[in-house]
Amino acid sequence: MRAAEKNLTGALRKTAVAFLILGMLPAFSEDGYELWLRYRRMPEREGSYRDCLKNLLVPGKSATAEVIRKELRMALPALSGAPVSFLKDQAPLDQNLAAAGCWKDLEAAGILRPGMSRQDPGDEGFFIRMERQGQQRILLVAGDTDVSALYGVFHLLRLLQTGMMTDSLSVISLPAVRLRLLNHWDNLDGSIERGYAGRSLWNWSGLPPDPDPRLADYARACASIGINGTVLNNVNASAEILTSPYLEKIEALAGLFRPYGIRIYLSAQFSAPMILGGLKTSDPREPAVAGWWAAKAEEIYNRIPDFGGFLVKANSEGQPGPQDFGATHSDGANMLAAALAPHGGVVIWRAFVYDTSIDPDRAKCAYREFTPLDGRFGSRVLVQAKNGPIDFQPREPFHPLFGAMPHTPMMLELQITQEYLGQSKHLVYLAPMWKEILKSDTYVRGPGSTVGRIVDGSLEHHVLSGMAGVANTGDERDWCGHPFAQANWYAFGRLAWDHTLHARDLADEWIRMTWSLDPAVVDSIKSMMSGSWEACVNYMTPLGLCHIMQEGHHYGPDPGFNRAARPDWNSTYYHRADSSGIGFDRTTAGSDAVSQYAPPLRDLFNDLETCPEKFLLWFHHVPWGHRMQSGKTLWEEMQERYKAGFAYVSGMRNTWKRLKNELDPERWMEVDEKLRAQEENARVWRDVCLDYFGRFAER
Ligand code: GCW
């Protein structure tokens, strides 16, 4: 062997040894702060796209262009292991694209809709593809606006992170809904209603001029999944947020979020004209009240020209509203919309109302109040309903307002924070639940009238459309209080962008970005996540049960609770267990809630034999001895479900134990401990519920 060769072999051997040693070191420790924007080396794959990643051209001087450059400067060297350089912006991008013959295709795909102004908020689509120009290959990422290009860049980074990028890949993507919002239930004192990850991210006392540096990371995370708006404060709103000291702070936040395409919205307290303006009334029909709101809107837009609008919880759970003055929800919403209209803002009016003097079945109240108002809401109003008619329970049938308000854009409110699903202690991947809702067929315009098509506006041809997620973020280092709760934030944004995506695919990409690219690890974690929601339903509220959590905080079971101030805050109101059976009779012979659904569904739900078992006790009071599809009695089946739910959690624990050496120790340990607590809590759920219901069933 020649000397040079010998040296080389020696060097190689050393390298090999070095890799072996590295391989034996414990994995890199992490704290979850980076979320899914955790840029680690991407898999070695052939492809000319890799060369394209070295020389970048990001034209323009806008703040968003700067954000794009910053993200690429951080991400690409970390992903590819190679340095990047930015080319001077000499050749206008438009010319490059024209040469590549792109515009025509894109117009056809709807990315550049002729006649649409570039500032149009609906104009958010992007494309990614490889083009050849002579000997050169170009990887193009472009959109109508800088923000849509930012979405494209994050999409490209996701493809690189997950190992899905190829030379032949061509992506054209448009968001399904226009308003993709997080709803923060943050109070001005820093506490968060139903928040399980620390205190509010908004450091009011430092604003301006000292924003918390992590706010930029919040904005990056949101933009990376297409979220384009954030409601800063709790729907149980304090009017104070509308005062000028707060508006000054909000102006600073708006400036921070603007480059990321995130608009600010506020929850508005309906009685603000009285509280802040000293008016004697907040009656929306009073010119002085309308005038107060018009002036307030003007003040807000002077500071924040792209302010999104107001979210309103009115006449619900003690919040003031137009009904306090004998006016209707539509009177209230339209008055606010008129104040925002000159500036381009919208009103999002919540339909979470349950005045049981209207109907003793709480599940029916919102429908009865809102359907008579359909057609009365102005063009800048969206009505926002929760996914189900009760309240973010582990499983509910879809809200019957979806499909019953054809003249009103219906916005879907999902709860990312797990108020009723184990909070930040339980690993529950919520995308399968949200998909179940979005795919539910309302049949209002025949088969295919899914909730998804109502929400995205396509069924009734609405221009406005939106999805909101009640945020699970807080100031804890890992943002969400549980490493797996991050997946729900992630999946919410991705589904708001495209509700046809599959829950499993979203889990797959999230795992690859957040935990590991090792196929065996990805599969194990995916198998844990995929069934985790159904398991939670089983160990908490199987077969259509709901709302049997402990009072107030809603963690842990209390099926016997019956001391609440209102009947419908009692567990016993919901399950109605007695010696004859269990469940809420909502059939035509009972509360008749079934009739709020379109005929084929109404009949399906109404008949004990055809009602899907997952909703059995939601719609029927069923004898304990009723034969289920499995051949078991209802009581036997219920026992099976509680046991299966618990067993699933034990299974997740075992899977996780096996992953110990594959993952970073810090996050692994945290999840391990959380799974232990979840298993313990699932055991309590199983035992308490079977003991309690058994007292009736075995009588
Ligand atoms: O789920 C219930 C919560 C309340 C919440 C309310 C709502 C913000 O328990 O904390 O209040 O819903 O959605 O308005």
Side-chain angles (χ1 to χ4, degrees):
M1 199 185 281
R2 279 189 309 202
E5 254 185 332
K6 213 166 151 188
N7 283 345
L8 190 64
T9 327
L12 277 177
R13 228 181 256 138
K14 259 187 226 143
T15 315
V17 171
F19 275 124
L20 274 180
I21 291 170
L22 276 178
M24 288 184 308
L25 284 173
F28 191 72
S29 193
E30 304 193 38
D31 59 16
Y33 181 84
E34 293 167 293
L35 296 162
W36 48 88
L37 300 175
R38 180 178 154 276
Y39 301 122
R40 301 288 184 267
R41 269 304 269 280
M42 61 189 183
E44 292 297 331
R45 286 259 173 80
E46 283 305 307
S48 333
Y49 71 85
R50 300 181 77 97
D51 299 325
C52 298
L53 302 176
K54 292 177 189 150
N55 297 308
L56 310 175
L57 176 64
V58 181
K61 294 195 170 55
S62 72
T64 303
E66 194 41 52
V67 161
I68 293 177
R69 281 189 280 267
K70 217 168 133 190
E71 198 68 29
L72 291 171
R73 207 176 285 126
M74 168 164 60
L76 289 180
L79 284 165
S80 67
V84 298
S85 62
F86 283 88
L87 304 177
K88 281 252 158 39
D89 185 4
Q90 347 90 324
L93 189 63
D94 275 12
Q95 265 174 33
N96 277 325
L97 293 177
C102 276
W103 281 156
K104 253 202 348 259
D105 291 5
L106 294 169
E107 265 176 37
I111 286 220
L112 281 178
R113 278 158 282 189
M116 216 177 213
S117 94
R118 279 181 174 261
Q119 274 72 46
D120 191 305
D123 222 7
E124 298 179 287
F126 62 82
F127 75 93
I128 303 174
R129 73 174 173 204
M130 297 282 294
E131 292 289 340
R132 191 187 280 277
Q133 270 198 319
Q135 285 310 303
Q136 257 193 329
R137 276 175 172 278
I138 318 176
L139 173 56
L140 286 172
V141 181
D144 288 344
T145 62
D146 286 0
V147 169
S148 48
L150 175 66
Y151 292 147
V153 164
F154 275 120
H155 193 92
L156 171 67
L157 292 175
R158 172 161 51 242
L159 293 171
L160 297 171
Q161 280 174 282
T162 52
M164 299 297 179
M165 184 63 193
T166 63
D167 282 355
S168 56
L169 196 99
S170 159
V171 178
I172 293 184
S173 188
L174 291 163
V177 303
R178 285 206 168 193
L179 311 184
R180 303 177 299 280
L181 310 189
L182 286 185
N183 287 186
H184 291 271
W185 287 356
D186 291 20
N187 300 313
L188 297 184
D189 65 3
S191 62
I192 304 178
E193 181 149 351
R194 312 304 177 186
Y196 312 103
R199 298 184 51 84
S200 175
L201 287 169
W202 326 129
N203 63 320
W204 295 119
S205 58
L207 284 168
D210 290 322
D212 184 335
R214 79 185 280 173
L215 292 177
D217 288 326
Y218 164 84
R220 284 174 60 229
C222 285
S224 76
I225 49 178
I227 287 170
N228 66 358
T230 181
V231 183
L232 295 179
N233 60 320
N234 192 351
V235 287
N236 293 329
S238 155
E240 208 187 336
I241 197 152
L242 299 172
T243 59
S244 41
Y246 272 98
L247 294 178
E248 191 188 347
K249 295 169 191 295
I250 294 164
E251 183 182 349
L253 280 179
L256 259 172
F257 294 165
R258 190 168 293 119
Y260 299 87
I262 298 168
R263 288 176 177 227
I264 285 187
Y265 297 71
L266 294 176
S267 294
Q269 227 243 34
F270 201 76
S271 51
M274 293 159 82
I275 298 172
L276 302 179
L279 302 193
K280 289 213 168 51
T281 177
S282 293
D283 186 335
R285 297 160 301 186
E286 273 296 322
V289 171
W292 187 88
W293 281 109
K296 187 49 76 182
E298 177 113 22
E299 185 189 347
I300 296 174
Y301 280 92
N302 279 338
R303 290 185 178 276
I304 310 162
D306 56 355
F307 178 68
F310 293 135
L311 170 65
V312 188
K313 172 175 177 176
N315 295 118
S316 162
E317 298 187 333
Q319 292 302 305
Q323 292 176 343
D324 301 347
F325 311 96
T328 63
H329 285 291
S330 49
D331 292 334
N334 294 343
M335 180 274 295
L336 287 179
L340 298 171
H343 315 282
V346 297
V347 169
I348 302 163
W349 195 267
R350 290 178 95 227
F352 180 64
V353 294
Y354 55 101
D355 175 356
T356 42
S357 70
I358 291 176
D359 196 299
D361 181 358
R362 172 169 163 180
K364 292 174 65 186
C365 295
Y367 179 101
R368 293 197 56 180
E369 274 204 52
F370 274 80
T371 47
L373 300 175
D374 186 36
R376 302 230 187 127
F377 290 100
S379 63
R380 310 198 71 84
V381 179
L382 300 106
V383 169
Q384 175 167 303
K386 295 184 179 183
N387 54 278
I390 296 289
D391 185 11
F392 296 139
Q393 294 303 298
R395 173 181 258 141
E396 299 190 32
F398 70 86
H399 201 306
L401 274 178
F402 292 106
M405 302 281 288
H407 304 291
T408 313
M410 288 299 298
M411 205 160 149
L412 172 63
E413 179 175 318
L414 302 169
Q415 196 182 42
I416 311 174
T417 193
Q418 293 163 235
E419 175 180 356
Y420 293 96
L421 291 103
Q423 302 173 3
S424 57
K425 295 204 175 81
H426 294 204
L427 188 169
V428 186
Y429 176 50
L430 297 176
M433 160 160 59
W434 300 337
K435 285 292 293 183
E436 181 172 288
I437 295 293
L438 289 159
K439 285 197 307 198
S440 294
D441 201 337
T442 68
Y443 291 97
V444 288
R445 298 226 178 259
S449 310
T450 60
V451 172
R453 293 197 55 215
I454 290 164
V455 171
D456 70 22
S458 61
L459 192 71
E460 306 290 354
H461 312 291
H462 288 299
V463 179
L464 280 180
S465 59
M467 257 166 82
V470 179
N472 63 351
T473 50
D475 71 353
E476 278 182 14
R477 183 69 190 159
D478 73 358
W479 303 89
C480 303
H482 190 313
F484 279 83
Q486 297 177 354
N488 293 330
W489 179 9
Y490 180 83
F492 167 75
R494 298 280 288 130
L495 285 175
W497 185 277
D498 180 356
H499 61 74
T500 66
L501 293 170
H502 298 288
R504 263 189 96 82
D505 294 343
L506 293 176
D508 190 278
E509 60 188 43
W510 177 79
I511 297 163
R512 286 163 189 264
M513 290 187 280
T514 310
W515 293 99
S516 168
L517 285 164
D518 178 333
V521 175
V522 174
D523 281 351
S524 297
I525 300 183
K526 202 162 36 179
S527 73
M528 291 169 63
M529 290 169 75
S530 299
S532 60
W533 165 58
E534 197 73 52
C536 176
V537 171
N538 278 336
Y539 65 71
M540 289 187 180
T541 52
L543 302 169
L545 288 174
C546 78
H547 220 303
I548 53 173
M549 292 74 192
Q550 287 178 35
E551 192 215 3
H553 56 72
H554 299 154
Y555 186 82
D558 193 358
F561 181 69
N562 67 354
R563 297 184 311 277
R566 293 172 52 135
D568 58 312
W569 286 349
N570 283 318
S571 300
T572 49
Y573 167 92
Y574 291 98
H575 63 67
R576 306 194 166 208
D578 55 26
S579 53
S580 71
I582 179 171
F584 198 127
D585 184 358
R586 294 192 165 101
T587 65
T588 45
S591 81
D592 198 24
V594 289
S595 296
Q596 294 184 342
Y597 293 93
L601 272 187
R602 180 194 61 200
D603 302 338
L604 188 91
F605 291 154
N606 196 44
D607 185 341
L608 183 61
E609 295 311 316
T610 56
C611 181
E613 288 190 342
K614 61 187 176 185
F615 299 134
L616 194 65
L617 306 180
W618 188 278
F619 289 114
H620 295 268
H621 189 78
V622 185
W624 294 107
H626 170 78
R627 281 286 152 210
M628 304 291 288
Q629 272 155 23
S630 61
K632 299 189 179 74
T633 66
L634 168 63
W635 173 232
E636 285 161 356
E637 180 84 21
M638 189 182 278
Q639 294 174 76
E640 292 282 310
R641 297 293 178 112
Y642 274 106
K643 288 176 189 161
F646 169 78
Y648 192 93
V649 181
S650 303
M652 287 201 289
R653 261 195 100 181
N654 292 336
T655 306
W656 195 252
K657 294 259 180 245
R658 286 197 295 275
L659 293 173
K660 182 166 185 176
N661 295 323
E662 315 297 327
L663 302 169
D664 56 286
E666 195 172 329
R667 290 187 303 166
W668 182 86
M669 243 147 59
E670 190 189 343
V671 173
D672 190 53
E673 170 51 30
K674 298 245 177 203
L675 285 170
R676 192 201 55 71
Q678 181 176 1
E679 188 185 37
E680 184 46 37
N681 194 236
R683 186 200 316 279
V684 171
W685 267 99
R686 181 197 65 192
D687 294 349
V688 168
C689 292
L690 291 183
D691 175 60
Y692 175 81
F693 292 129
R695 285 183 232 158
F696 302 99
E698 287 167 7
R699 205 182 277 171

